[in-house]
Amino acid sequence: MKKWLTLAIVSSALFLIVVDMTVLYTALPALTRDLQASSSQKLWIINVYALVVSGLLPGFGTLGDRLSHKPVFLAGLAVFGIASLCAAFSPAAEWLIFARVLLAIGAALMMPATLPITRLSTPDNRARSFAIGVWAAIAAGGVMRNGDGLQADALREALITQDRKTIYRVDDGIPVLLENEARPLSDE
């Protein structure tokens, strides 16, 4: 039972990480209007997350290897949750850009730990194969192609409005819930 709870926690966090790569594409018109963002600021709002995540992944992966993946993962959850609150209530484009940088730092802390935690929490080969399959499906399924070739998340398009506060409020509760559930999990 514990291994499946661990898989659910890690998969939920992974889904948030992947979704945040493209979550603002449909909200960009409303963001531009609400925050009076310039063209340059719009580019930073969209691209800073992927830029920072990709730059920090190798270093935070190594950090998890040296310290243990669980505390690095939990630190990432905390940063991600706080950053989601900052993004939801950002009064200006600059604040949203800063919040997206914090989101990326949290994601970069969590992402390298997701696969080792998944692998280490499932000791038998059959369960491990299933868990890694779920991990891969979440990682690949968080970002999909829609008909016009733009990358978009299916959940975002189906359930989330174009209100940035709604988008980040969805992110707010999940890291808190995941962190509370992750505390009793054993260390690797």
Side-chain angles (χ1 to χ4, degrees):
M1 179 66 177
K2 187 176 178 180
K3 64 184 170 189
W4 303 121
L5 177 62
T6 301
L7 179 61
I9 291 168
V10 169
S11 296
S12 298
L14 179 62
F15 184 74
L16 288 176
I17 293 166
V18 175
V19 164
D20 267 5
M21 289 287 183
T22 59
V23 76
L24 293 182
Y25 287 147
T26 57
L28 194 57
L31 281 173
T32 303
R33 185 180 57 252
D34 291 350
L35 299 178
Q36 300 167 346
S38 68
S39 296
S40 175
Q41 289 171 328
K42 286 189 279 188
L43 288 172
W44 278 107
I45 289 169
I46 295 296
N47 294 323
V48 73
Y49 182 85
L51 179 71
V52 173
V53 166
S54 61
L56 294 177
L57 274 175
F60 286 152
T62 302
L63 183 68
D65 289 341
R66 291 181 188 221
L67 297 181
S68 176
H69 294 288
K70 183 182 173 187
V72 174
F73 180 79
L74 292 174
L77 275 174
V79 170
F80 199 88
I82 291 166
S84 292
L85 281 172
C86 293
F89 298 104
S90 56
E94 295 84 4
W95 282 93
L96 182 57
I97 293 166
F98 175 72
R100 297 273 296 163
V101 168
L102 290 179
L103 279 166
I105 292 169
L109 282 163
M110 288 188 292
M111 180 70 175
T114 58
L115 189 56
I117 290 172
T118 300
R119 185 182 58 79
L120 293 170
S121 68
T122 50
D124 60 282
N125 287 337
R126 185 178 174 138
R128 184 180 309 122
S129 297
F130 178 79
I132 290 174
V134 169
W135 181 91
I138 298 288
V143 179
M144 299 177 183
R145 293 244 178 233
N146 66 11
D148 61 4
L150 296 175
Q151 287 189 345
D153 169 65
L155 176 66
R156 180 192 72 236
E157 294 203 343
L159 301 175
I160 298 177
T161 68
Q162 292 188 359
D163 177 9
R164 69 183 166 91
K165 291 183 180 176
T166 304
I167 292 168
Y168 286 109
R169 285 183 186 145
V170 168
D171 283 354
D172 288 343
I174 295 173
V176 171
L177 174 67
L178 294 178
E179 191 162 336
N180 287 338
E181 292 298 322
R183 292 203 187 278
L185 301 178
S186 65
D187 280 312
E188 299 89 19

